[in-house]
Amino acid sequence: MSPAATDAGGDLFAANLKGALLAVASSAFVGVSFIVKKKGLRRAGAVGSRAGPSVRPRSPPHPRAPLSLSCPLDVALGLSGVGGYGYLWEPLWWVGMVTMLVGETANFVAYMFAPAVLVAPLGALSIIVSAVLAHFMLNEKLQRVGVLGCILCIVGSTVIILHAPEERSPDSVEQIWQLATQPTFLCYAALAVAVSLLLMLYCAPRYGQTNIMIYVGICSVIGSLTVMSIKAVGIAIKLTIQGVNQAGYFQTWLFVTVSAICLIIQLVYLNKALDTFNTALVSPIYYAMFTTLTILASAIMFKDWSGQSASIIASETCGFLTVLAGIIVLHSTKESDQNLSPDLYASLTAPLPPKIYWHIQGNGDVGKQKEDESLPCDFITVVRQDYFV
């Protein structure tokens, strides 16, 4: 083997190692951010109406209602309603947001050095970090089977790192454009756009609230295009830093535009999925679909598996399946997040009094009704809020 080939192989290995370390660091920061933001949300919920006089505590949701770090969790913490953004006044929540931003930045840089086949599956490590920290900091007990899930994720990630392909970075954004306009990838991109439009325009309005695969499918399909365009932007930035300016090419700004559009669509429908369905269901399904499609798109566009033996590809596949199995096991044993505040749910376990009163607010009128009184037959109102007192 010539010295030049040896040097090239060493450079590719070093690039893969940088990408893997950045991906692991990204997962660590993102996992920590989940815990820090959640503690900030709990503090904000304990304080009450810090966002202003328009914020008022609401009754807790049904104990089987899906909870997430988006709107449903704010409801559970009593921060929803008009002006319900009290957590914006909580410094700890902002620390979590900054931590997440650092993690996502590290993940973005990781795509500059390593192939998506290596970077995307390592995102599962953030679930391990958040699960372990939640066990010690949030009193969300990690069961023994959950520990097995963490071990499976670590083993699978190690296998992926050891057998990751060595990707040659393009020398200009024009080379990336040639890869993006090859017939096979154009067919994949056209199919991805067609499937996404079908899901968004036809399936989502009809079945989005009942079928978890609709919203998650949109996120996953669009997400694979997001990663490809972000990777192209990242390589362009790296080349520009190295002294080869890529800002003058229209392809660079086209990739930036595609990245922004795809990222917005992906985030919108991911929030819809989290708001509609249980996080314990959304996370493993989204991870499996998103990672699989991202690996497929990267293999088509950047030819990650070109020149690799069947045994290496099989090892990478086994590593990914091991990580997926670990995530499924971890989420299947995760306790439901119902103890966000002991006082918040105390009323759910307390015995009800023999006489129940309730308030009904509708059409601007507020009335009080006893259990033994009957409503007239012609009592018709639009109910806006109903809660027991």
Side-chain angles (χ1 to χ4, degrees):
M1 182 179 296
S2 64
T6 303
D7 293 341
D11 292 342
L12 293 175
F13 176 79
N16 267 13
L17 182 60
K18 289 180 183 178
L21 292 177
L22 286 168
V24 172
S26 169
S27 297
F29 277 106
V30 171
V32 170
S33 72
F34 287 152
I35 305 303
V36 176
K37 285 199 301 181
K38 202 165 186 179
K39 287 183 71 70
L41 288 171
R42 288 189 179 184
R43 283 191 184 181
V47 171
S49 57
R50 293 186 59 179
S54 59
V55 181
R56 58 184 178 184
R58 293 183 60 180
S59 58
H62 191 278
R64 294 184 62 86
L67 300 178
S68 69
L69 290 178
S70 51
C71 181
L73 184 57
D74 296 343
V75 174
L77 293 172
L79 297 175
S80 65
V82 180
Y85 301 99
Y87 55 88
L88 296 178
W89 274 257
E90 176 55 53
L92 193 60
W93 185 85
W94 283 106
V95 172
M97 285 298 298
V98 173
T99 306
M100 175 170 283
L101 180 61
V102 172
E104 295 299 337
T105 302
N107 189 65
F108 172 76
V109 178
Y111 281 110
M112 298 182 186
F113 297 97
V117 176
L118 172 61
V119 177
L122 293 181
L125 297 179
S126 63
I127 300 177
I128 299 178
V129 174
S130 61
V132 173
L133 291 179
H135 176 81
F136 294 102
M137 300 179 64
L138 300 178
N139 199 28
E140 297 177 1
K141 298 303 179 183
L142 182 63
Q143 302 176 7
R144 293 182 179 179
V145 181
V147 176
L148 174 61
C150 294
I151 294 175
L152 289 174
C153 289
I154 294 174
V155 171
S157 299
T158 304
V159 173
I160 292 173
I161 292 175
L162 293 177
H163 297 88
E166 296 178 347
E167 179 185 67
R168 294 187 178 275
S169 179
D171 297 329
S172 68
V173 74
E174 290 182 321
Q175 291 186 9
I176 305 176
W177 179 255
Q178 292 176 0
L179 296 174
T181 54
Q182 58 185 319
T184 51
F185 186 77
L186 286 178
C187 290
Y188 174 84
L191 181 61
V193 172
V195 170
S196 300
L197 290 176
L198 176 64
L199 292 176
M200 286 188 290
L201 300 179
Y202 179 80
C203 297
R206 294 169 174 80
Y207 314 110
Q209 297 295 316
T210 58
N211 191 331
I212 191 174
M213 301 302 293
I214 303 299
Y215 291 151
V216 176
I218 296 172
C219 298
S220 302
V221 175
I222 294 295
S224 65
L225 299 179
T226 304
V227 172
M228 296 302 101
S229 54
I230 283 180
K231 184 174 178 64
V233 174
I235 294 175
I237 293 175
K238 183 179 72 171
L239 292 173
T240 301
I241 294 175
Q242 293 175 349
V244 185
N245 188 10
Q246 302 295 310
Y249 296 98
F250 80 93
Q251 293 95 333
T252 301
W253 301 107
L254 182 60
F255 283 128
V256 170
T257 303
V258 173
S259 300
I261 294 174
C262 291
L263 188 60
I264 292 173
I265 296 174
Q266 185 182 356
L267 292 177
V268 167
Y269 282 94
L270 181 58
N271 281 331
K272 287 186 177 183
L274 291 173
D275 289 344
T276 307
F277 303 99
N278 197 308
T279 307
L281 293 176
V282 173
S283 295
I285 296 175
Y286 173 62
Y287 173 82
M289 294 183 63
F290 167 74
T291 307
T292 301
L293 292 174
T294 298
I295 291 175
L296 176 61
S298 181
I300 295 174
M301 179 173 173
F302 292 96
K303 297 179 172 56
D304 294 329
W305 285 338
S306 178
Q308 286 194 301
S309 63
S311 61
I312 296 296
I313 297 176
S315 298
E316 295 169 6
T317 304
C318 290
F320 169 63
L321 294 177
T322 303
V323 173
L324 178 59
I327 290 179
I328 294 175
V329 170
L330 186 60
H331 276 277
S332 64
T333 59
K334 188 177 180 181
E335 293 183 353
S336 58
D337 191 4
Q338 296 176 9
N339 296 320
L340 297 176
S341 175
D343 297 333
L344 188 63
Y345 291 98
S347 60
L348 295 178
T349 57
L352 292 175
K355 297 294 183 181
I356 299 177
Y357 301 84
W358 64 83
H359 292 276
I360 300 177
Q361 180 179 349
N363 297 334
D365 299 327
V366 179
K368 187 174 183 180
Q369 181 69 28
K370 289 187 177 181
E371 183 187 35
D372 53 358
E373 294 181 0
S374 60
L375 294 173
C377 298
D378 57 352
F379 181 81
I380 302 175
T381 183
V382 177
V383 178
R384 292 180 55 194
Q385 185 173 351
D386 185 359
Y387 58 96
F388 293 103
V389 294

